[in-house]
Amino acid sequence: MSSSQTVFSAPAGSEWWRDAVIYQVYPRSFKDSNGDGMGDLGGVTEKLPYLKDLGVDAVWLSPFYLSPQHDAGYDVADYRTVDPRFGSLEDFDRMREEAHRLGLKIIVDLVPNHTSEDHEWFQAALAAGPGSPERERYMFREGTGENGELPPNNWKSLFGGAAWSRVPDGQWYLHLFDSSQPDLNWENPEVWEEFRAILRFWLDRGADGFRVDVAHGMIKADGLPDWDEQVHMVEGTDAAEDDDAAATRPTDVGSASTVDSGNDDAAALGPETVGVEQGDLAAGSAEGAAAPAADAEEAAPTKTMDTGPYFDQDGVHEIYRDWNRVLQEYPGERMLVVEAWVGPASRLARYVREDEAQQAFNFDFLVAGWHRDRMRDTIETSLRANAEVGAPCTWVLSNHDTVRHPSRYGLSSRTAYPNGIGAQDEQPHHDQGLRRARAAALVELSLPGSAYVYQGDELGLPEHTELPDDARQDPTFHRSLGAELGRDGARVPLPWSPVGEGLGFGPAPWLPQPESFAEITVDHQLGDPQSTLNLYRRALRLRHELGLGATGFAWHPLSEDEQGVLAYVLPRADGDVLVAANLGESAVGFEELSRGELLLASGQDAVVGDRLSVDSAVWLKL
């Protein structure tokens, strides 16, 4: 069946998270309220009215816990307090109270795969010695070799180098990321109980949900078998690669950029209309049990990503069943969204079955690039797989771990997904990248499900591609000895105003801002009706007015032709909406452009005469 024949029914359920637009705040780069060079919770509270006016529904905050900040807060020393750099628990309470007053939900980041080496548990484990209950909370093992001088296995860190470090008494501990981030032992019931308590701590303080970091981690294969490959956090396809080749094969199976191969088992479904009915799911076990529900895992789709013996293990799903039960103890439709780099789409959908998480990030959409066929196929397989489990899709273009999409879209390859862009690399074509990013926003914000906006997306912020090496702080850069530039270029503090220190962010920002940011500040864009910020504001207002995100979906025949147009219809009782984006090489005319009502266009020249311009998108009411 061709994709143009497929119709997806409007999703069931009315929970707020099913069609929410969720804004990611990276606190250290959002707004500095106390002049120390780092953003904080006070700065977030100050700018909540801006987010309300933007039109988002919820705010997800990257970690603000007590941390030595070796990995920008994803190395947590205490899950129940706020790092003084960001404020205090009282500051969190004030922020949450103001957000709820404005009608905004608050989502807290949760890091369950590992802690900081400064966490009291790990310090106790080092002091207690081999065989102690304290060490059983982590992945301590004896070494190999004649005298235990070699690591327990050959696993490699995602940040470069070995995944094991040795302590003075001779044992080794596992750290899939930095050596300062020891992996927890999720075979230990004490770890399960601790994270239930952490969830309840923040739920009691009014958190509306959690984003789960490395959600496909935690559980390791029995025996910790050797694995010769390496997973890279931000490595992607070579920018010089031929686009047609990139469109016909999955990217590096060991990378975060791997996309669905199209061999999704859901593609074999026969009915032309895909609804939201689902079969009975295996019941979760009682609280405290760590065994997977066997029946639910027996029919697991075959992986199209080789995630090795430490990611996407079947046992991880029982963790989400357990946490789902915790969330059900609280009113208000609390939610989990998981960061799981897995494939195919039907395997990712296992994380959002009825008794597990509510959402999973759709990274296949993020890495599809500015390529009509890849984007179309990703939308198709994502909607199909999630419909089978009754869960909403999510759509995201950038986050704190990726090169910002206006810069990716400005590279010579339509499907480039580099692991950072430096001064010696190909420099993005700014105007082309921004034009495509504006069109992509109209696609993302119209699709059924929930949309995620990374801070600065609404400004069209580019990657900082000229960061000096001595300014870089990402451990990926340092552990790889500069072979991987890392993620700092996407984490540069936001420009709020053309006047004031740090372009309104605050004095001496922790990462330097490029000179180009002075021309695209929030204040500058608010005064320009054609700015990217005002495009987002109009799109989000229309999304709410038209009920987009909660509609059905049907492909338009244009999505199958050779002109490179992505087009689909969103059925509505008082007039369907046609979304069309031209990812081709020339302007395209079609009947609806002349007879439909133009609701929104990605630029002033998106429609010229009766033709849709290249790298442009429109919403039309039919």
PDB file of all heavy atoms in Angstrom, residues 545-546 571-577 621-622:
ATOM      1  N   GLU A 545      -6.336  27.039  18.148  1.00  0.00           N
ATOM      2  CA  GLU A 545      -7.662  27.398  17.640  1.00  0.00           C
ATOM      3  C   GLU A 545      -8.252  26.305  16.761  1.00  0.00           C
ATOM      4  O   GLU A 545      -9.467  26.048  16.807  1.00  0.00           O
ATOM      5  CB  GLU A 545      -7.566  28.703  16.848  1.00  0.00           C
ATOM      6  CG  GLU A 545      -7.286  29.931  17.693  1.00  0.00           C
ATOM      7  CD  GLU A 545      -7.136  31.190  16.850  1.00  0.00           C
ATOM      8  OE1 GLU A 545      -7.229  31.077  15.596  1.00  0.00           O
ATOM      9  OE2 GLU A 545      -6.926  32.272  17.420  1.00  0.00           O
ATOM     10  N   LEU A 546      -7.419  25.651  15.962  1.00  0.00           N
ATOM     11  CA  LEU A 546      -7.888  24.652  15.000  1.00  0.00           C
ATOM     12  C   LEU A 546      -7.898  23.243  15.568  1.00  0.00           C
ATOM     13  O   LEU A 546      -8.382  22.310  14.909  1.00  0.00           O
ATOM     14  CB  LEU A 546      -7.006  24.689  13.744  1.00  0.00           C
ATOM     15  CG  LEU A 546      -6.987  26.004  12.966  1.00  0.00           C
ATOM     16  CD1 LEU A 546      -5.934  25.959  11.867  1.00  0.00           C
ATOM     17  CD2 LEU A 546      -8.365  26.301  12.380  1.00  0.00           C
ATOM     18  N   PRO A 571      -8.139  16.208   8.949  1.00  0.00           N
ATOM     19  CA  PRO A 571      -9.609  16.324   8.893  1.00  0.00           C
ATOM     20  C   PRO A 571     -10.155  17.078  10.114  1.00  0.00           C
ATOM     21  O   PRO A 571      -9.762  16.825  11.251  1.00  0.00           O
ATOM     22  CB  PRO A 571     -10.085  14.866   8.903  1.00  0.00           C
ATOM     23  CG  PRO A 571      -8.881  14.048   8.527  1.00  0.00           C
ATOM     24  CD  PRO A 571      -7.709  14.804   9.049  1.00  0.00           C
ATOM     25  N   ARG A 572     -11.077  18.004   9.845  1.00  0.00           N
ATOM     26  CA  ARG A 572     -11.729  18.784  10.893  1.00  0.00           C
ATOM     27  C   ARG A 572     -13.195  18.963  10.516  1.00  0.00           C
ATOM     28  O   ARG A 572     -13.542  19.078   9.347  1.00  0.00           O
ATOM     29  CB  ARG A 572     -11.073  20.146  11.069  1.00  0.00           C
ATOM     30  CG  ARG A 572      -9.626  20.100  11.528  1.00  0.00           C
ATOM     31  CD  ARG A 572      -9.005  21.489  11.574  1.00  0.00           C
ATOM     32  NE  ARG A 572      -9.687  22.384  12.486  1.00  0.00           N
ATOM     33  CZ  ARG A 572     -10.560  23.326  12.125  1.00  0.00           C
ATOM     34  NH1 ARG A 572     -10.861  23.494  10.833  1.00  0.00           N
ATOM     35  NH2 ARG A 572     -11.135  24.097  13.007  1.00  0.00           N
ATOM     36  N   ALA A 573     -14.064  19.063  11.529  1.00  0.00           N
ATOM     37  CA  ALA A 573     -15.498  19.157  11.268  1.00  0.00           C
ATOM     38  C   ALA A 573     -15.862  20.424  10.518  1.00  0.00           C
ATOM     39  O   ALA A 573     -16.774  20.423   9.678  1.00  0.00           O
ATOM     40  CB  ALA A 573     -16.272  19.091  12.594  1.00  0.00           C
ATOM     41  N   ASP A 574     -15.164  21.548  10.801  1.00  0.00           N
ATOM     42  CA  ASP A 574     -15.536  22.809  10.148  1.00  0.00           C
ATOM     43  C   ASP A 574     -14.545  23.220   9.074  1.00  0.00           C
ATOM     44  O   ASP A 574     -14.373  24.406   8.792  1.00  0.00           O
ATOM     45  CB  ASP A 574     -15.670  23.932  11.181  1.00  0.00           C
ATOM     46  CG  ASP A 574     -14.370  24.230  11.903  1.00  0.00           C
ATOM     47  OD1 ASP A 574     -13.457  23.387  11.841  1.00  0.00           O
ATOM     48  OD2 ASP A 574     -14.279  25.304  12.534  1.00  0.00           O
ATOM     49  N   GLY A 575     -13.913  22.245   8.451  1.00  0.00           N
ATOM     50  CA  GLY A 575     -13.012  22.527   7.342  1.00  0.00           C
ATOM     51  C   GLY A 575     -11.659  21.885   7.526  1.00  0.00           C
ATOM     52  O   GLY A 575     -10.958  22.179   8.500  1.00  0.00           O
ATOM     53  N   ASP A 576     -11.320  20.999   6.600  1.00  0.00           N
ATOM     54  CA  ASP A 576     -10.032  20.318   6.695  1.00  0.00           C
ATOM     55  C   ASP A 576      -8.889  21.305   6.483  1.00  0.00           C
ATOM     56  O   ASP A 576      -9.042  22.362   5.872  1.00  0.00           O
ATOM     57  CB  ASP A 576      -9.939  19.218   5.633  1.00  0.00           C
ATOM     58  CG  ASP A 576     -10.956  18.109   5.845  1.00  0.00           C
ATOM     59  OD1 ASP A 576     -11.593  18.085   6.915  1.00  0.00           O
ATOM     60  OD2 ASP A 576     -11.118  17.283   4.930  1.00  0.00           O
ATOM     61  N   VAL A 577      -7.720  20.932   7.014  1.00  0.00           N
ATOM     62  CA  VAL A 577      -6.516  21.726   6.825  1.00  0.00           C
ATOM     63  C   VAL A 577      -5.523  20.921   5.995  1.00  0.00           C
ATOM     64  O   VAL A 577      -5.243  19.750   6.300  1.00  0.00           O
ATOM     65  CB  VAL A 577      -5.882  22.116   8.176  1.00  0.00           C
ATOM     66  CG1 VAL A 577      -4.509  22.766   7.977  1.00  0.00           C
ATOM     67  CG2 VAL A 577      -6.812  23.064   8.938  1.00  0.00           C
ATOM     68  N   LYS A 621      -6.798  26.118   4.637  1.00  0.00           N
ATOM     69  CA  LYS A 621      -8.103  25.606   5.034  1.00  0.00           C
ATOM     70  C   LYS A 621      -8.902  25.295   3.786  1.00  0.00           C
ATOM     71  O   LYS A 621      -9.075  26.153   2.917  1.00  0.00           O
ATOM     72  CB  LYS A 621      -8.846  26.616   5.899  1.00  0.00           C
ATOM     73  CG  LYS A 621     -10.136  26.060   6.498  1.00  0.00           C
ATOM     74  CD  LYS A 621     -10.757  27.037   7.476  1.00  0.00           C
ATOM     75  CE  LYS A 621     -12.029  26.462   8.106  1.00  0.00           C
ATOM     76  NZ  LYS A 621     -12.641  27.422   9.063  1.00  0.00           N
ATOM     77  N   LEU A 622      -9.388  24.067   3.692  1.00  0.00           N
ATOM     78  CA  LEU A 622     -10.087  23.613   2.484  1.00  0.00           C
ATOM     79  C   LEU A 622     -11.588  23.785   2.618  1.00  0.00           C
ATOM     80  O   LEU A 622     -12.135  23.843   3.698  1.00  0.00           O
ATOM     81  CB  LEU A 622      -9.743  22.138   2.216  1.00  0.00           C
ATOM     82  CG  LEU A 622      -8.253  21.824   2.069  1.00  0.00           C
ATOM     83  CD1 LEU A 622      -8.056  20.342   1.786  1.00  0.00           C
ATOM     84  CD2 LEU A 622      -7.626  22.676   0.971  1.00  0.00           C
TER      85      LEU A 622
END
